[in-house]
Amino acid sequence: MTTSTSIVLTEQDGPIGIVTLNRPKVLNALSPAMLEAICQALETLDANPDVRVIILTGGPRVFAAGADIKAMAEASPLDIVRMNTLGYWQRMQRINKPIIAAVSGYALGGGCELAMQCDLIVASETALFGQPEIKVGIMPGAGGTQRLAKAIGPYRAMEMVLTGEPITAREAHACGLVNRLVPVERYLDEAKELARTIAARPPIAVRLAREALRYGVETTLRDGLAVERRNFILLFDTHDQQEGMKAFLEKRKPEFKGE
Ligand code: CAA
């Protein structure tokens, strides 16, 4: 099934929902309309019980070249507040299903931040990750200074943010920003393969483990451990926990129901 708006395409492939940014003429620049379309697509797939994992992708040439500079060039601070782009990023953070970024070509500025907002990143060998905002007189404003430093360490992140120069997919893979690095012909298939593996796991356990992990990255170890313990205990009230353990002991494949 494929549905489309002009700027974002949504497709379902079994348990995988695929969201494709589709504004290639401006390299998928993230205008407020684009961010709204991405949020709507993600929220629709999040609400669809048949979808277990979401892939967010661009095209082979570009994932996204950042916030729309045209929409910001004449803006005052108040205009930026009124645009409320932060609201879109907060909506994305409320998605409950794992999101895999399948990145090829440019992932710059807000595009790099969009990839880092996802849970896993599969990249083609042609991908370029960067925070070039400094070159147009601003700085990352959608989590780049924080997530990049956590993902690759403060020194590498500082160099990227202060010089505005990107790193290659190979470098990003070496420093832990990219989960899987594959030739450009394979990046979407590789993301689907990873998505299918996760989709075969018990959905409630996936959701609660993901929630604990994401929470832990944002908070203190003590608070993160408390959420992990709560979610761990909760899983003992699911059918899938009983089925998973029983199947292991009976040496057969489990049948997970998402209950
Ligand atoms: N916003 C608006 N339009 C953009 C854009 C952006 N971020 N990036 C590219 N475009 C447009 C170009 O203006 C151009 O449009 P025209 O054909 O109408 O002139 C079209 O896309 C193609 O771009 P180029 O001709 O520049 O393509 P290129 O192959 O020569 O270069 C590039 C590609 C290196 C990615 C270059 O386009 C570029 O540097 N883009 C800007 C990247 C950037 O600075 N991103 C950060 C934005 S700020 C931000 O993201 C803030 C935040 O944290 C949320």
Side-chain angles (χ1 to χ4, degrees), residues 21 93 132 139 143 150 190 235 252:
L21 313 191
Q93 279 169 46
M139 60 178 277
K150 286 204 159 89
E190 188 74 20
L235 287 172
R252 60 173 173 83

Side-chain angles (χ1 to χ4, degrees), residues 3-10 19-23 33-34 37-38 41:
T3 55
S4 65
T5 62
S6 54
I7 51 178
V8 167
L9 311 176
T10 306
V19 177
T20 306
L21 313 191
N22 185 37
R23 217 182 153 210
M34 185 69 152
I38 295 169

Side-chain angles (χ1 to χ4, degrees), residues 23-31 35 61-62 64-72 85 89 106-113 128 130-136 138-145 164 166:
R23 217 182 153 210
K25 278 202 183 117
V26 288
L27 309 188
N28 290 334
L30 300 168
S31 61
L35 288 168
R61 181 175 172 229
V62 61
D68 192 328
I69 296 174
K70 272 192 196 113
M72 296 186 301
T85 45
W89 296 95
Y106 299 113
L108 301 178
C112 188
E113 290 167 313
L128 272 182
Q131 298 289 163
E133 289 90 342
I134 203 94
K135 293 181 178 175
V136 292
I138 57 168
M139 60 178 277
T145 60

Side-chain angles (χ1 to χ4, degrees), residues 124-182:
S124 89
E125 285 164 348
T126 63
L128 272 182
F129 296 86
Q131 298 289 163
E133 289 90 342
I134 203 94
K135 293 181 178 175
V136 292
I138 57 168
M139 60 178 277
T145 60
Q146 306 303 301
R147 291 206 174 91
L148 194 61
K150 286 204 159 89
I152 68 173
Y155 292 93
R156 281 193 185 108
M158 188 68 86
E159 183 173 337
M160 285 175 70
V161 169
L162 299 190
T163 65
E165 296 303 331
I167 56 172
T168 62
R170 200 165 290 283
E171 289 169 307
H173 185 244
C175 62
L177 183 62
V178 162
N179 293 83
R180 296 188 182 185
L181 177 67
V182 291

Side-chain angles (χ1 to χ4, degrees), residues 28-87:
N28 290 334
L30 300 168
S31 61
M34 185 69 152
L35 288 168
E36 173 63 35
I38 295 169
C39 286
Q40 280 185 20
L42 293 176
E43 285 163 356
T44 302
L45 292 171
D46 204 31
N48 180 341
D50 297 331
V51 171
R52 292 192 173 181
V53 180
I54 300 169
I55 293 175
L56 181 61
T57 190
R61 181 175 172 229
V62 61
F63 180 69
D68 192 328
I69 296 174
K70 272 192 196 113
M72 296 186 301
E74 305 286 328
S76 69
L78 199 55
D79 293 331
I80 298 293
V81 172
R82 284 202 193 100
M83 268 183 216
N84 190 26
T85 45
L86 181 65

